[in-house]
Amino acid sequence: MDAKRGDWVRIHKTILNVGERAPNIPEDTQSVPLEMWDKGFLMNETANKGDLVEIETYIGRKVEGTLIEINPYWDHDYGKAVPELLYIGRQARELLEEGADNE
């Protein structure tokens, strides 16, 4: 068992396969399936990755899909630290405090 009822999970589902998509969309879009990833609270009592499960999203929608991740998180960042920016807050605070002393 990877997850239990109430765990925060991510699911995947193919909504439309290639060939089922609307004919009036661009050709490169028609050549790939329409897929969905969603997150929510697991409704099944227990589940393993790869199982078909039902979730309740944060806003209350109930959605089915294949369990792919438990406790999903964002793994992007804002890049490397910029040393010049690390001191701006302190310098601004010092300038404001100096200004307050001169009033």
Side-chain angles (χ1 to χ4, degrees):
M1 173 188 72
D2 293 329
K4 63 184 182 312
R5 185 179 182 88
D7 283 350
W8 185 247
V9 298
R10 182 186 315 242
I11 62 169
H12 172 261
K13 183 176 186 177
T14 300
I15 305 298
L16 293 173
N17 291 309
V18 174
E20 297 176 335
R21 304 200 61 172
N24 59 343
I25 59 176
E27 191 173 306
D28 58 341
T29 304
Q30 288 182 29
S31 65
V32 294
L34 177 62
E35 299 175 278
M36 172 197 81
W37 289 265
D38 208 344
K39 293 180 282 189
F41 300 102
L42 184 65
M43 301 294 292
N44 302 61
E45 289 302 320
T46 61
N48 293 310
K49 288 181 182 175
D51 289 350
L52 181 63
V53 297
E54 183 180 27
I55 64 167
E56 181 176 341
T57 66
Y58 198 79
I59 61 171
R61 284 186 311 122
K62 293 195 168 111
V63 185
E64 286 186 349
T66 303
L67 178 63
I68 59 170
E69 190 175 358
I70 299 150
N71 292 324
Y73 60 94
W74 299 108
D75 59 353
H76 66 275
D77 60 36
Y78 297 99
K80 295 181 179 179
V82 179
E84 293 82 3
L85 297 178
L86 297 174
Y87 300 100
I88 287 177
R90 290 182 178 183
Q91 290 173 339
R93 185 177 303 267
E94 288 173 8
L95 290 172
L96 290 170
E97 288 173 357
E98 287 175 13
D101 293 341
N102 292 332
E103 288 183 12

